[in-house]
Amino acid sequence: MPYKIGLVGKPSVGKSTFFNAATMNSVDEGNYPFTTIDPSVGEAYVRVQCAAPDFDEECDPRVGYCNHGTRYVPVKLVDVAGLIPGAHEGKGLGNKFLTDLNEADVLIHIVDFSGETDIEGEPTEGHDPRKDIDFLEEELDMWYLEILEKGIERYESKKGPQDVKLEEELAEQMSAFKTNKNEIKQIILSLDLDLDPDTWDENDREELARKIRKETKPMIITANKMDTEKARENFEEITTDPEYEHLEIVPSSAHAEKALKNAAEKDIVDYHPGEKDFEVLEDIPEKKHEGLEKIRNFMDEYGGTGVQKALETALFDELGVMAVFPGGADGLGDEHGNILPDCFLVPEESTAEDFAFTIHSDLGEGFLHGIDCRENRQIGSDHELEHRDVIEIVSSN
Ligand SMILES: Nc1nc2c(ncn2[C@@H]2O[C@H](COP(=O)(O)OP(=O)(O)OP(=O)(O)O)[C@@H](O)[C@H]2O)c(=O)[nH]1
Ligand SMILES: [Mg+2]
């Protein structure tokens, strides 16, 4: 199953524009709230430095593509409906989209840094993006708290006559958040709470809900609409505000990324997603030229449009994922002679045996040993892999 990155935020921040830029799909975009109602899922890519050149080879990717040694590995991107304060109580499109969010492994919170949309996504001026950062976290926390409370009720109603464990009941109630009883127990104990909800006050419950949310829904922030003057001013102010400077905030212009990709499709520019610059390939009208130069200046200042960087920061840094290539010690080709056709995204600290199971359960079950193809060295089942390893699995199956 490919990893899923979810885009969240209040209405009109540019989620669909970001989605379209990253996937080259065309879902509706509009400067009115709730342009998007049903979630869209598309294919985006994260970049991995290809391993083939290290072996003096050129790869033949089965999915995604490779451009001069930069491999673009597919991930799923989900564009969901905008969220407004009170969503957990059913405001706006309410809980529906919260359920859609559960599908995602990691979230990108898109914030309109221009301050030109209010908390509900309506046009305004001078709105402080810090309010958006705060409200979204609170909204997610309230939603978690509600489900946590249901779990506590469930435990209370069963305990006594039956021998039930708190962490089991909570994990069962919160299973949609992809957690388990061990994780829940760890989190409760890490907050110095007893495994008895009767001893928790309102504050403890809120803190617990927040901690479970942070553990199960990693999230980064993207400061969007950075092509506007106001957004740059806000960015400067917020990234130096002691209360916010600890946050990972990736500056972006979804507009710029989309414009460049459109121009690249028409062969007007040579641009590869994530790069810091592009080349104009043909004579274009003065106005278009000016537009592109504006984008170039922006990219120069922020190291690119930020769209690709946001996806990669979310997946690699925040979620903790790495790329591993299945290869062969006697050559990198598969049975058809395709070189390094696959590149798997796996959790950091995956072992050789975990990797075998990722490729195929049969390979995992019959696991004998692995071979690190760079060093031509045998590795055991517990050997922890590293980003960009090339590994052959030797299996009895
Ligand atoms: N200046 C600027 N405007 C942008 C950027 N990204 C999106 N917009 C504009 O912001 C408005 C809202 O964009 P959408 O992509 O529809 O926003 P959304 O978050 O999907 O909105 P909902 O579907 O209503 O939740 C549109 O008018 C976009 O053109 C950007 O990077 N820069
Ligand atoms: Mg939308």
Side-chain angles (χ1 to χ4, degrees), residues 265-376:
E265 271 195 346
K266 293 180 194 141
D267 286 328
I268 297 170
V269 300
D270 183 24
Y271 170 64
H272 301 281
E275 287 186 355
K276 296 183 177 72
D277 203 2
F278 58 89
E279 192 186 337
V280 180
L281 297 176
E282 58 178 52
D283 279 342
I284 46 173
E286 187 59 27
K287 216 168 166 222
K288 239 187 188 157
H289 192 75
E290 273 173 25
L292 285 174
E293 284 315 303
K294 258 193 178 167
I295 293 180
R296 199 195 299 279
N297 289 339
F298 167 80
M299 292 169 79
D300 216 30
E301 189 168 346
Y302 295 100
T305 69
V307 168
Q308 202 55 44
K309 177 148 186 236
L311 296 172
E312 289 156 10
T313 304
L315 196 79
F316 293 126
D317 301 346
E318 191 65 28
L319 187 59
V321 162
M322 62 180 180
V324 180
F325 299 84
D330 299 328
L332 301 183
D334 64 4
E335 68 272 26
H336 308 295
N338 291 323
I339 303 294
L340 291 186
D342 296 309
C343 173
F344 286 92
L345 297 172
V346 295
E348 276 170 352
E349 291 163 22
S350 290
T351 62
E353 192 174 7
D354 295 335
F355 184 55
F357 274 104
T358 303
I359 302 174
H360 200 285
S361 54
D362 285 350
L363 268 190
E365 276 151 24
F367 183 90
L368 296 173
H369 63 264
I371 298 171
D372 178 334
C373 300
R374 281 183 203 281
E375 297 180 7
N376 216 346

Side-chain angles (χ1 to χ4, degrees), residues 49-61:
Q49 194 191 342
C50 188
D54 301 347
F55 296 82
D56 290 325
E57 298 267 18
E58 240 177 71
C59 71
D60 306 294

Side-chain angles (χ1 to χ4, degrees), residues 8-20 27-37 79-83 110 112 114 116-117 121 223-228 252-258:
V8 278
K10 72 180 187 186
S12 304
V13 293
K15 297 181 295 298
S16 296
T17 310
F18 185 109
F19 175 86
N20 286 337
V27 306
D28 287 346
E29 300 162 13
N31 64 348
Y32 48 90
F34 304 118
T35 307
T36 304
I37 294 177
D79 174 32
V80 298
L83 159 83
I110 303 198
D112 176 355
S114 73
E116 285 167 5
T117 46
N224 195 35
K225 309 196 184 178
M226 284 290 284
D227 48 281
T228 65
S252 78
S253 168
H255 260 180
E257 178 76 0
K258 211 172 136 215

Side-chain angles (χ1 to χ4, degrees), residues 164-322:
V164 287
K165 281 214 156 72
L166 173 67
E167 64 270 26
E168 271 173 23
E169 296 307 310
L170 295 185
E172 183 69 25
Q173 191 73 40
M174 302 190 115
S175 61
F177 298 137
K178 297 180 188 151
T179 182
N180 58 49
K181 61 180 181 192
N182 293 335
E183 189 179 31
I184 295 278
K185 188 172 171 184
Q186 279 298 321
I187 296 174
I188 295 173
L189 297 178
S190 75
L191 291 174
D192 277 336
L193 294 174
D194 291 332
L195 285 168
D196 175 8
D198 285 345
T199 63
W200 305 346
D201 62 19
E202 195 53 38
N203 217 8
D204 295 334
R205 289 169 191 233
E206 280 174 24
E207 220 181 304
L208 181 57
R210 183 172 311 120
K211 188 92 192 263
I212 299 174
R213 190 264 300 168
K214 283 191 170 168
E215 294 286 327
T216 58
K217 279 273 166 283
M219 178 161 76
I220 65 153
I221 293 169
T222 291
N224 195 35
K225 309 196 184 178
M226 284 290 284
D227 48 281
T228 65
E229 199 50 50
K230 278 273 170 254
R232 292 167 195 229
E233 283 169 22
N234 281 325
F235 186 76
E236 187 55 39
E237 191 178 323
I238 292 172
T239 50
T240 52
D241 175 341
E243 256 192 71
Y244 292 83
E245 63 189 359
H246 68 280
L247 294 173
E248 177 81 58
I249 306 182
V250 179
S252 78
S253 168
H255 260 180
E257 178 76 0
K258 211 172 136 215
L260 282 181
K261 281 206 182 153
N262 281 334
E265 271 195 346
K266 293 180 194 141
D267 286 328
I268 297 170
V269 300
D270 183 24
Y271 170 64
H272 301 281
E275 287 186 355
K276 296 183 177 72
D277 203 2
F278 58 89
E279 192 186 337
V280 180
L281 297 176
E282 58 178 52
D283 279 342
I284 46 173
E286 187 59 27
K287 216 168 166 222
K288 239 187 188 157
H289 192 75
E290 273 173 25
L292 285 174
E293 284 315 303
K294 258 193 178 167
I295 293 180
R296 199 195 299 279
N297 289 339
F298 167 80
M299 292 169 79
D300 216 30
E301 189 168 346
Y302 295 100
T305 69
V307 168
Q308 202 55 44
K309 177 148 186 236
L311 296 172
E312 289 156 10
T313 304
L315 196 79
F316 293 126
D317 301 346
E318 191 65 28
L319 187 59
V321 162
M322 62 180 180

